[in-house]
Amino acid sequence: MLSWKQFRHGVIKGFPVCLGYIPVSFTFGIMAVQSGLPVWLAIFISISNLTSAGQFAGTKLLAAGAGFLEVGLTTLVINLRYMLMSLALSQRVDTKVSMGHRLLMGYGITDEIFAIAITETEEITPAYMYGLIITPVFGWTLGTALGALTNGILPASLSNAMGIALYAMFIAIIIPPAKQSMPVLATIVIAIVVTCILRYIPIFSFISSGFQVILATIVAAVIMAALVPITEDGTAERGQQA
Amino acid sequence: MSYAVTGVILMAVVTYIIRVLPITVFKKQIESRYIRSFLYYVPYAVIASLTFPGIFYATGNVMTAVLGTAAAILLALFRQGLVVVAIGAILVVYISGLFL
């Protein structure tokens, strides 16, 4: 049976993400309508895709009349990082959780929902995930609808400031464990260095932003898994005192 | 219009398959210590890579973004929750945006 308590816990954890999603999806709603899409389709894109960079890029391609192959491949490349997240989550879900639940839980794997779920110390249950998914989906859809309908009445100074919200949440998620564990801090530093190299060195400019994340993650995690493998209790042993 | 709707459904299906494949395929615990170690570090690497350097371009002004980032890091070091860190960063960006 699904636990109401776990669901509520998920809803509460999802609330900051919901708020952070509103200004981003607001911008998407404006962009979609300005590219000539009807309001209902903009909203449908947000509910069915639930991605930021992926749906921005795909919608721009569709507005430009691109071929389906290009649209599909671009979506694949930008969103492929979710596979790594889904794999990491799969190891935190009880083996008894049914296929039906897994099919529903998979729908809600976004950068932010993943970041919150994976840092839970307890096991990830379907009820918790549904709560954690439903609030951000609501915010993402609401923001899209508001942006599409009002076509941009949010003052630029305010929406610019709100642009930092989701990034600030990521900082709030990774700083406390980095403070406690040297290996975690090292992982973060390696990932940032690789991302910067891929982003700023011109010969790598053909690599999309989604792939930058994949490559940086794999390089950092491969190095750290070799240098500091986890112990039986599932944490990195050395450097805990740092 | 059917072109756009078809395209949107295509995007949705591609994205859904990417997300749902691993969580439905890997139902058992992976035994390899190396892969388990790799997966232990993945979240921190993913989140770090998503945040930096993207955060510096999140506000339309690198200066205000740097100040907002500093505020977020400071608040996070003092173990403030997600909401406090986010609102603190927004406030610093908004206020510094009035001057810069």
Side-chain angles (χ1 to χ4, degrees), chain A residues 178 181-193 220 223-224 227-228, chain B residues 41 44:
Chain A
S181 156
M182 230 15 226
V184 168
L185 180 62
T187 309
I188 291 169
V189 171
I190 297 170
I192 293 172
V193 168
I223 292 174
M224 292 310 296
L227 291 180
V228 193
Chain B
Y41 291 113
Y44 305 110

Side-chain angles (χ1 to χ4, degrees), chain A residues 172-184:
Chain A
I173 291 170
I174 55 172
I175 293 271
K179 217 171 124 186
Q180 285 203 322
S181 156
M182 230 15 226
V184 168

Side-chain angles (χ1 to χ4, degrees), chain A residues 49-50 65-66 68 79 86 91 95 102-103 106 109 116 160 170 179 187 195 199-200 222 228 230 236, chain B residues 3 10-11 15-16 18-19 22-23 27-30 33-34 37-38 41 49-51 57 59 77 82 85:
Chain A
N49 279 258
L50 196 65
F68 287 139
N79 292 339
S86 177
Q91 297 302 301
T95 48
R102 286 167 188 265
L103 288 171
I109 301 173
I116 307 258
N160 278 344
F170 284 149
K179 217 171 124 186
T187 309
T195 311
R199 181 160 176 159
Y200 295 119
V222 158
V228 193
I230 55 170
Chain B
Y3 159 77
L10 170 72
M11 284 156 57
T15 309
Y16 182 66
I18 292 168
R19 282 173 167 153
I23 200 170
K27 293 186 79 168
K28 293 212 176 73
Q29 281 289 319
I30 294 171
R33 188 176 174 213
Y34 183 77
S37 302
F38 171 81
Y41 291 113
S49 176
L50 285 168
T51 311
Y57 309 101
T59 67
L77 280 173
L82 261 61
V85 172

Side-chain angles (χ1 to χ4, degrees), chain A:
Chain A
M1 263 334 281
L2 292 178
S3 145
W4 179 245
K5 204 180 136 213
Q6 287 167 355
F7 179 78
R8 216 177 49 192
H9 177 57
V11 167
I12 293 166
K13 284 299 192 83
F15 193 66
V17 179
C18 167
L19 290 183
Y21 273 181
I22 291 174
V24 182
S25 54
F26 191 88
T27 315
F28 174 76
I30 296 169
M31 189 276 278
V33 168
Q34 282 176 352
S35 349
L37 298 183
V39 173
W40 70 265
L41 189 59
I43 296 170
F44 178 66
I45 294 173
S46 281
I47 295 183
S48 62
N49 279 258
L50 196 65
T51 65
S52 54
Q55 77 183 52
F56 269 92
T59 305
K60 278 183 187 144
L61 283 175
L62 289 176
F68 287 139
L69 185 68
E70 192 183 350
V71 173
L73 279 177
T74 304
T75 308
L76 177 77
V77 169
I78 297 180
N79 292 339
L80 201 61
R81 66 183 187 284
Y82 294 136
M83 248 187 187
L84 269 173
M85 302 184 194
S86 177
L87 177 62
L89 277 176
S90 76
Q91 297 302 301
R92 297 284 305 281
V93 175
D94 192 291
T95 48
K96 289 195 289 290
V97 169
S98 72
M99 193 58 137
H101 280 312
R102 286 167 188 265
L103 288 171
L104 284 173
M105 290 161 82
Y107 156 74
I109 301 173
T110 68
D111 299 337
E112 294 76 17
I113 293 171
F114 166 76
I116 307 258
I118 203 75
T119 43
E120 290 288 342
T121 44
E122 282 162 46
E123 194 168 72
I124 296 160
T125 62
Y128 165 76
M129 271 305 273
Y130 297 152
L132 183 61
I133 291 169
I134 206 162
T135 12
V137 168
F138 175 74
W140 190 245
T141 311
L142 179 72
T144 306
L146 290 175
L149 289 169
T150 60
N151 211 350
I153 45 166
L154 205 66
S157 56
L158 190 62
S159 71
N160 278 344
M162 288 172 85
I164 204 165
L166 293 173
Y167 291 99
M169 283 182 208
F170 284 149
I171 288 179
I173 291 170
I174 55 172
I175 293 271
K179 217 171 124 186
Q180 285 203 322
S181 156
M182 230 15 226
V184 168
L185 180 62
T187 309
I188 291 169
V189 171
I190 297 170
I192 293 172
V193 168
V194 175
T195 311
C196 287
I197 290 172
L198 296 177
R199 181 160 176 159
Y200 295 119
I201 297 183
I203 47 165
F204 297 117
S205 61
F206 66 95
I207 299 171
S208 76
S209 63
F211 247 88
Q212 289 172 4
V213 174
I214 294 175
L215 290 173
T217 301
I218 291 177
V219 170
V222 158
I223 292 174
M224 292 310 296
L227 291 180
V228 193
I230 55 170
T231 50
E232 285 304 304
D233 65 347
T235 55
E237 59 192 310
R238 273 178 283 165
Q240 291 287 10
Q241 72 280 9

